[in-house]
Amino acid sequence: MVKTAFSSSPSDTAELLRRLERLKRLAWVLNSAVRIPGLRMRAGVDTVLGLIPGGGLALGTLLSLYIVWEGHRMGVGAATVRKMLLNVGIEAVVGVVPLMGDLFDTVFKADMRNVRLIEEALARPETGAPYNSVIEKNPADGLFYPSGRRF
């Protein structure tokens, strides 16, 4: 498990970790809950939902968007949320193609990717801060100054 490095009270940290574990379980159920016999692959409920004509793909997409929403609520940055939405969008667009979309969904695993993105964002020293930030906040006076980091 990735250790988080954000500054908040222990109760907030415990709550974030609890929510992250819940999202990891949901992503596992959606993408990897069942081993496919004869193959070294796993599939989840999302793959089965894609086979249901009508609303199966929509329900799977809504569950994937829930993971994105929770990541946003946990404080990941806008760039991370955009990457997560792109993952869900790719999976939804390709998922429209019968059978081939379900196979893609089984391999791509957007929900597992999105949970990994949330973990990586929470592990950064400043949650949600871009890697190439050009300004930093000085804790002594609370003002922003140019960063010493290079792009």
Side-chain angles (χ1 to χ4, degrees), residues 2-143:
V2 175
K3 292 201 180 244
T4 56
F6 43 83
S7 58
S8 60
S9 69
S11 63
D12 292 338
T13 302
E15 173 65 18
L16 281 175
L17 290 174
R18 187 183 64 75
R19 289 163 71 182
L20 182 61
E21 286 301 317
R22 188 179 69 226
L23 290 179
K24 286 167 97 171
R25 279 193 309 272
L26 175 61
W28 183 80
V29 167
L30 288 173
N31 292 153
S32 300
V34 178
R35 182 176 304 277
I36 300 172
L39 299 174
R40 293 186 327 191
M41 293 180 69
R42 299 183 73 85
V45 174
D46 204 13
T47 301
V48 176
L49 286 174
L51 295 172
I52 299 172
L57 178 63
L59 181 59
T61 302
L62 285 175
L63 290 169
S64 295
L65 288 173
Y66 170 74
I67 292 174
V68 175
W69 173 248
E70 278 295 314
H72 168 71
R73 287 184 51 211
M74 292 169 73
V76 301
T80 303
V81 171
R82 281 192 298 272
K83 288 177 191 175
M84 293 168 67
L85 287 171
L86 180 64
N87 287 338
V88 173
I90 289 170
E91 190 174 79
V93 168
V94 176
V96 173
V97 179
L99 295 179
M100 191 57 112
D102 300 314
L103 178 63
F104 178 79
D105 182 44
T106 303
V107 174
F108 188 65
K109 300 181 187 306
D111 302 315
M112 300 289 280
R113 288 173 185 254
N114 286 343
V115 169
R116 194 172 326 115
L117 286 171
I118 292 170
E119 283 181 321
E120 290 170 0
L122 292 177
R124 278 184 255 166
E126 298 175 23
T127 303
Y131 289 114
N132 58 355
S133 177
V134 293
I135 59 171
E136 292 179 343
K137 186 174 184 180
N138 183 349
D141 59 8
L143 299 176

